[in-house]
Amino acid sequence: MTEIPKEEMLLKCPSTCAGCGSLLALRYILKAAGKDTVLVIPACCNSVIQGVYPYMLHTVPVYNIAFAAAAACASGMSEAFRAVGKKTNVIVYAGDGGTADIGIQALSGALERGEDFLYICYDNEAYGNTGMQRSGATPLGAITTTTPNGKTVNKKDLDRIIEAHNLPYQATACASYPADIYNKVKKALSIPGPKFIHILAPCPPGWRTPSEKTVEIGKMAVKSGIWVLWEKEYDKFTISAPSRAAMKKPSPVADYLKAQGRFRKVDDATAAKIQAQVDKNLKKIAAEAAYSEENA
C-alpha cells in the first residue's frame, strides 16, 4: 500500500458509528481522487456524519442533495465544470437505498446520457441513517426494523441493472480492501464518461457485529463469494485478485451468516438456498471473465 498518499482528505473525530465501513471506504476514495473533487451526497448516513459548517469532516466541497436527485445534480455539475474547461472530479457518494431504490431513475437517466462523473454506491444493505429499514439491497434472510423475521426475497441485482447501460467503467469493491478501492477509483477517474463503483460497506450496528470486526466481516463476504470483486472496462471483464484467489476454494457462506446477528433467524433451508445462489453466481462470473479473456 506504499503507493497510497499519506495525506488525509478526511479530518479526525467523525461522528460515525464505531467501525463504519462506508467512512473507511470514503477515506481511500478521496485519497485517490485528490483535492480537485466535489462530492455529491444525497440523504444517507454520510449526509449527517459530515458535521455542521465550518466544522466539517471533508476537506473537499460537498453538495448535499435530495434523496432522488444525486445523479441529476452530478450531471449538471459535471456539465458546468466541463463548459468552463475544468476537469474537477464529480463523485456521487450514496447509500444503497438512495441508489438501488429512490435514486435509480436519475442514475439510469444520467448513465444513458453518458454524463461524465463517477457514481459510488456504498452498500450497507439497508437504510442505515433512519434505523436500518430494509432496502432493495437487503439480502435474503437479513433482519431489519421492517423485516423483523428476516427478508423473504432476494437482494436486487444492482450491478446487472447498471451493466445494462454499457458504461465505460464499472467495478465492485469492499471496504476491507483499501488498495483495491484506491486503484479502481484512480482508474475510473481517468476514463471520460459515466462510471459506477459498488462498494460493500459492513455496518456494525445494522449487521449486529462487533465494531472491531468490520474488516474481517468484509473479507468473509469476499472469501465466501457472496461479494465478488471485479471490474469491467468497456467490454473487458476482469475478476480482481482477492476474488480470484477466493474462488479457487470459497469458504462456506454459513460462516459469513453466523458471524452476523442480522442473520440469526436464517434456518438451514434458507442458508442452503443462499449458498446455492452464491455457487450459481460464481459460475456465471467465472464464465463471463473467461469469455472476456477469450475475446479480448
Side-chain angles (χ1 to χ4, degrees):
M1 295 176 59
T2 54
E3 75 277 10
I4 297 179
K6 293 183 178 180
E7 181 181 7
E8 297 294 343
M9 304 293 288
L10 295 174
L11 301 179
K12 296 179 179 180
C13 301
S15 57
T16 56
C17 301
C20 177
S22 69
L23 190 69
L24 176 61
L26 183 58
R27 180 185 181 193
Y28 292 95
I29 290 165
L30 290 178
K31 282 176 176 284
K35 292 183 177 180
D36 191 15
T37 298
V38 175
L39 287 177
V40 178
I41 301 181
C44 61
C45 293
N46 274 274
S47 66
V48 295
I49 65 172
Q50 65 194 39
V52 179
Y53 183 83
Y55 304 106
M56 302 287 286
L57 168 67
H58 309 93
T59 60
V60 299
V62 176
Y63 198 94
N64 294 115
I65 195 68
F67 232 141
C73 175
S75 297
M77 190 177 289
S78 175
E79 290 285 352
F81 280 131
R82 305 302 175 256
V84 295
K86 292 186 177 181
K87 297 181 179 179
T88 301
N89 299 314
V90 177
I91 300 177
V92 173
Y93 197 56
D96 50 280
T99 302
D101 299 336
I102 297 175
I104 198 167
Q105 87 297 359
L107 174 57
S108 179
L111 300 182
E112 183 268 333
R113 294 191 302 271
E115 305 288 0
D116 185 21
F117 67 90
L118 170 60
Y119 192 110
I120 298 177
C121 171
Y122 69 88
D123 191 349
N124 58 21
E125 301 187 319
Y127 287 90
N129 184 37
T130 50
M132 295 307 290
Q133 297 86 4
R134 67 89 94 187
S135 76
T138 301
L140 176 67
I143 294 170
T144 69
T145 56
T146 50
T147 56
N149 292 314
K151 193 182 176 200
T152 58
V153 295
N154 291 322
K155 177 176 177 138
K156 186 183 293 186
D157 196 342
L158 177 62
D159 295 318
R160 296 299 179 187
I161 295 171
I162 300 300
E163 192 174 15
H165 292 77
N166 298 311
L167 274 62
Y169 185 83
Q170 181 179 353
T172 62
C174 175
S176 303
Y177 297 87
D180 185 63
I181 291 175
Y182 178 85
N183 290 330
K184 286 174 177 175
V185 171
K186 289 287 284 187
K187 180 180 286 189
L189 293 174
S190 73
I191 298 171
K195 287 83 59 173
F196 183 87
I197 300 179
H198 191 185
I199 301 179
L200 184 67
C203 171
W207 293 16
R208 276 73 164 179
T209 57
S211 59
E212 70 273 14
K213 295 288 187 180
T214 295
V215 171
E216 181 180 335
I217 293 295
K219 288 186 175 181
M220 289 179 73
V222 171
K223 290 177 180 179
S224 68
I226 207 165
W227 190 267
V228 183
L229 304 179
W230 52 263
E231 61 182 338
K232 187 174 183 180
E233 186 175 352
Y234 296 98
D235 290 327
K236 184 181 179 182
F237 183 89
T238 307
I239 300 171
S240 305
S243 283
R244 284 202 307 272
M247 287 170 67
K248 294 177 181 178
K249 190 177 180 181
S251 59
V253 170
D255 293 346
Y256 174 72
L257 302 179
K258 290 176 182 177
Q260 302 169 62
R262 62 175 177 155
F263 291 116
R264 66 180 180 275
K265 293 186 179 181
V266 169
D267 57 22
D268 290 343
T270 303
K273 182 178 180 181
I274 296 171
Q275 180 69 69
Q277 291 172 347
V278 169
D279 293 342
K280 181 179 179 180
N281 187 53
L282 289 176
K283 289 181 181 179
K284 183 188 296 185
I285 288 175
E288 186 172 357
Y291 178 83
S292 178
E293 186 174 350
E294 290 172 4
N295 292 273

